[in-house]
Amino acid sequence: MEPSIVKGNRIFDNRGSLRFSNDLDFKGIKRFYIVHNYSKNFIRAWHGHLNEEKYIGCIKGTFQVSAVKIDKVKKPNKKNKIFNFFLNQSDSNFIHIPKGYANGSMSLEENSELLIFSTSSLEESIKDDYRFDEKYWNPWNIEFR
């Protein structure tokens, strides 16, 4: 299984709007947390798990969320495919990060926030925690156009 988008939507009427993700399945979800980045272009990476899965959505601002397969725990291949996604507060998409992947994010606006649902308890996650330098895989270059 590869990282993928779980589509959401937003509808509007004269009362306001409703954001939703009807395809997000909460079976197996054990906890959630919110990541808030104060600065634009702030990177949090790489954080991997062999057993934990995550669903990542943006509730404020804009983010690049990236994921890469962990083929070897001690020294993963730096040439493994990087999956890049972009989330914005105006959509209701979530990114599914399967087990066996490392993920990272970069805020593209100031004061951006991610909502993350996890299939592991905090205790389980700590025992299944693999971290790599933020530039071990480096999809963070901004291309000016």
Side-chain angles (χ1 to χ4, degrees):
M1 179 177 289
E2 294 181 340
S4 60
I5 294 176
V6 179
K7 283 290 196 185
N9 205 346
R10 186 174 190 173
I11 57 173
F12 299 87
D13 65 17
N14 62 349
R15 299 168 294 175
S17 67
L18 175 68
R19 291 173 55 187
F20 56 91
S21 182
N22 291 334
D23 294 330
L24 186 61
D25 184 356
F26 281 90
K27 183 179 179 182
I29 299 296
K30 293 186 178 180
R31 65 188 173 102
F32 81 92
Y33 54 98
I34 295 172
V35 173
H36 180 184
N37 285 358
Y38 297 127
S39 303
K40 180 179 178 178
N41 301 330
F42 186 80
I43 299 168
R44 292 179 187 253
W46 290 92
H47 188 192
H49 301 281
L50 299 181
N51 299 306
E52 181 176 353
E53 296 183 50
K54 295 179 182 177
Y55 294 88
I56 302 173
C58 180
I59 56 175
K60 185 176 179 188
T62 307
F63 278 90
Q64 175 182 335
V65 177
S66 299
V68 65
K69 181 84 171 150
I70 303 171
D71 56 349
K72 298 175 197 154
V73 174
K74 298 271 188 206
K75 191 173 180 186
N77 188 338
K78 289 187 176 190
K79 294 184 181 185
N80 285 347
K81 179 180 179 181
I82 299 171
F83 295 84
N84 292 306
F85 304 94
F86 296 89
L87 295 174
N88 180 272
Q89 68 187 19
S90 65
D91 65 39
S92 297
N93 295 335
F94 279 81
I95 306 303
H96 174 232
I97 308 292
K99 59 185 174 182
Y101 279 79
N103 66 277
S105 64
M106 179 172 64
S107 47
L108 300 176
E109 294 182 55
E110 291 182 2
N111 289 310
S112 292
E113 294 182 344
L114 291 174
L115 172 62
I116 303 169
F117 295 102
S118 169
T119 60
S120 293
S121 68
L122 182 58
E123 294 77 21
E124 291 167 335
S125 183
I126 290 170
K127 293 176 185 173
D128 180 36
D129 187 66
Y130 303 94
R131 297 193 183 242
F132 308 95
D133 184 82
E134 71 181 38
K135 292 185 179 172
Y136 192 85
W137 298 279
N138 194 9
W140 313 119
N141 295 325
I142 297 174
E143 297 178 24
F144 294 96
R145 297 178 188 146

